[in-house]
Amino acid sequence: MLSLVPTRLLQSGHRPLSPGSRAGLGAALALLVIVSAVEAADGRLAHYIALLVAAPFLAAALASWRVVLGVGAAATALGVGFAVIDPTMELVTSVNVVAVALGTGLAVAVAAVRQRQDVQIAELSKLASVAQQAVLRPLGPQVGTLSVAGRYISSTATAQIGGDLYEAIDTPYGVRMIIGDVRGKGLDAVRLASIVLGSYRHVAYERADLRAVVADLDRAVARNVGDEDFVTAALVEERGGTLTIVNCGHPPPLLLRRGAVIPLEPPAPAPPLGFMPVVRPRVERLEPGDRLLLFTDGLGEARRDGEFFPTADRAWRLLGHGTVADGLASLETALVEWVHGRLDDDIALVLMEYVGARTGAAAAVPSWEVGAAES
């Protein structure tokens, strides 16, 4: 009889059983077999019927309510069978059979509630993922004179949502990129990230000076956060081979050049957006083939057994080959392997490669000198 339960359950619906339902069904059937074997070995007296009620509850932890109902029906049928062959047929035996039937009903209700909650959680997780994908648009593969790739690594497999942000756009003032990290997690962090990116996508086209862009973003953050909330950010501009970076409390980008890895520390520290940062630009002259890695602090905090991931030591070996997308894929693989798949924070990554200035491009003028050059 037990061997017919999986077949009937599969035939009763149009869809195959989910992995959870198969696991719950297998565990419950194994329990029914064990209890039946113990009861049969004990003789004709029914001593262990009450244990059969555990099977539908075991199935309820993983399986759908239909599977739980099938397991409960099998458990009740076994209980009735053992009660019938009991020569004494005591009252407690009948009570135990009734308890198995009532327990089955309760287990079915538990499974139905759990199944409905699982569906709701899955829908919310999907909605959060869609919301984040709407905020973080795909980058590249080419933005202006730069090859660009972006990657978002979630610290949780079930809910890919957080406050890390990035963008790369080709503006009249050159290719401009931003990477940032909102304090906190969840929908509030995504909301603030969307505000920052929305403001950035507007002012990056309007402001010639990156310091003015920072001031606009700071006001946008200050209007929408509490006293203890903030956004760290690094803004990068490439114009005719000249790289300009302003940093608001964010990890410095890494410049990869001819096998060397150079942290581009700011000339002076500045607080995050939301705390009225006063930034000083750092300017570098790019060479064809240079690569620049922008990242959030989740990369710097990734560790195993107290040892941090050696980003600077391994950056060239991981990021200096193939396309920029290949480099980010190699970095993610090495990072996940290092932490054994357990990250404490989300990570946003942007890798760009300078392929050379446009033919006939104007002389390089950093954004913070544009106003002076035009006057």
Side-chain angles (χ1 to χ4, degrees):
M1 179 176 62
L2 289 176
S3 63
L4 296 178
V5 173
T7 303
R8 290 175 179 172
L9 288 173
L10 287 170
Q11 291 175 345
S12 62
H14 298 289
R15 293 179 296 178
L17 295 179
S18 66
S21 291
R22 288 197 296 269
L25 176 60
L29 292 180
L31 180 60
L32 289 180
V33 170
I34 293 172
V35 174
S36 299
V38 172
E39 187 68 79
D42 191 50
R44 298 181 63 187
L45 297 179
H47 292 153
Y48 305 102
I49 291 179
L51 296 178
L52 295 171
V53 75
F57 281 103
L58 180 61
L62 296 171
S64 66
W65 69 266
R66 290 183 176 85
V67 173
V68 175
L69 181 60
V71 170
T76 303
L78 284 172
V80 171
F82 286 123
V84 169
I85 63 174
D86 186 345
T88 61
M89 194 59 178
E90 297 178 355
L91 177 61
V92 66
T93 302
S94 302
V95 171
N96 287 338
V97 173
V98 173
V100 172
L102 294 177
T104 295
L106 182 58
V108 168
V110 169
V113 172
R114 179 195 54 76
Q115 193 174 0
R116 185 162 58 250
Q117 291 176 340
D118 288 345
V119 171
Q120 292 174 346
I121 292 173
E123 290 177 350
L124 288 175
S125 179
K126 182 178 179 181
L127 178 61
S129 180
V130 170
Q132 189 173 52
Q133 290 173 12
V135 172
L136 296 180
R137 301 184 301 197
L139 298 185
Q142 194 77 20
V143 182
T145 59
L146 304 179
S147 297
V148 180
R151 207 170 188 93
Y152 192 96
I153 307 173
S154 176
S155 59
T156 57
T158 55
Q160 296 184 352
I161 185 168
D164 292 12
L165 58 98
Y166 54 73
E167 181 61 288
I169 50 181
D170 193 6
T171 75
Y173 310 104
V175 177
R176 286 180 165 178
M177 294 180 287
I178 184 174
I179 190 162
D181 189 356
V182 176
R183 179 181 180 272
K185 292 181 179 292
L187 291 176
D188 288 340
V190 174
R191 180 187 63 83
L192 183 54
S194 68
I195 291 172
V196 173
L197 286 175
S199 299
Y200 176 76
R201 288 162 181 160
H202 172 71
V203 300
Y205 287 97
E206 304 296 328
R207 304 296 190 187
D209 192 329
L210 280 182
R211 292 172 295 186
V213 175
V214 169
D216 287 342
L217 295 180
D218 177 69
R219 286 191 290 270
V221 171
R223 286 193 296 264
N224 291 278
V225 299
D227 295 337
E228 298 181 357
D229 295 324
F230 56 84
V231 181
T232 68
L235 284 74
V236 177
E237 175 189 283
E238 184 278 322
R239 182 180 175 91
T242 297
L243 186 72
T244 305
I245 304 170
V246 294
N247 197 313
C248 305
H250 199 77
L254 299 179
L255 176 64
L256 286 72
R257 172 179 291 167
R258 299 193 300 271
V261 179
I262 307 167
L264 299 183
E265 299 280 355
L273 299 174
F275 292 120
M276 295 183 292
V278 178
V279 295
R280 290 179 56 190
R282 173 163 181 165
V283 180
E284 298 284 337
R285 186 64 186 174
L286 291 174
E287 301 176 3
D290 283 353
R291 291 190 173 188
L292 186 73
L293 175 66
L294 310 175
F295 58 93
T296 54
D297 60 4
L299 179 61
E301 296 172 357
R303 59 187 179 270
R304 68 178 182 195
D305 301 327
E307 185 178 1
F308 291 95
F309 181 74
T311 303
D313 294 339
R314 302 181 64 179
W316 178 261
R317 188 164 66 253
L318 294 171
L319 299 171
H321 69 91
T323 66
V324 287
D326 294 334
L328 289 187
S330 296
L331 176 59
E332 180 179 1
T333 300
L335 177 65
V336 172
E337 181 181 356
W338 177 272
V339 300
H340 303 302
R342 303 172 72 176
L343 291 169
D344 296 328
D345 195 7
D346 295 351
I347 301 172
L349 303 169
V350 176
L351 182 63
M352 74 87 167
E353 180 179 1
Y354 176 64
V355 296
R358 295 186 180 97
T359 303
V365 180
S367 66
W368 50 276
E369 290 185 355
V370 168
E374 292 174 349
S375 60

